[in-house]
Amino acid sequence: DIDRLLPEIGHDTPEVTDPFPERIQAREAELRAVWALADLRNDRIRAVTGIEFRPLDDSIRDCVESLLSVAGVKPKVREGFIRPGAV
């Protein structure tokens, strides 16, 4: 998602791995199947409290931008990536 939301930073997305033992993976699959049947809605809480939830993409983008500018985190950049405007 970082590369999709902020392509200008050239984030080198790592390969997805699953280091958990098979028993944990099986339990996760079981729980995901249970939650897949649930109807998750936030309209009731919004109606009662007036809270407006931010889209997840906005939260991810703001978090990454904050990590870069405030915390000084240096992202791992794709090989051969040249930042726009850098010469």
Side-chain angles (χ1 to χ4, degrees), residues 42-54:
N42 64 24
D43 56 321
R44 291 181 185 158
I45 195 71
R46 286 183 306 161
V48 172
T49 64
I51 292 175
E52 285 297 322
F53 295 96
R54 298 178 64 198

Side-chain angles (χ1 to χ4, degrees), residues 36-75:
L37 301 173
D39 182 21
L40 303 176
R41 302 172 21 196
N42 64 24
D43 56 321
R44 291 181 185 158
I45 195 71
R46 286 183 306 161
V48 172
T49 64
I51 292 175
E52 285 297 322
F53 295 96
R54 298 178 64 198
L56 182 60
D57 282 355
D58 291 353
S59 296
I60 292 171
R61 182 182 303 105
D62 289 350
C63 178
V64 171
E65 288 176 345
S66 177
L67 287 168
L68 295 173
S69 64
V70 177
V73 171
K74 302 290 183 208

Side-chain angles (χ1 to χ4, degrees), residues 1 5 11 17 22 25 28 37-38 42-43 49 51 65 71-72 80:
D1 284 344
L5 296 169
H11 180 258
T17 59
E22 285 184 30
Q25 292 178 22
E28 179 186 7
L37 301 173
N42 64 24
D43 56 321
T49 64
I51 292 175
E65 288 176 345

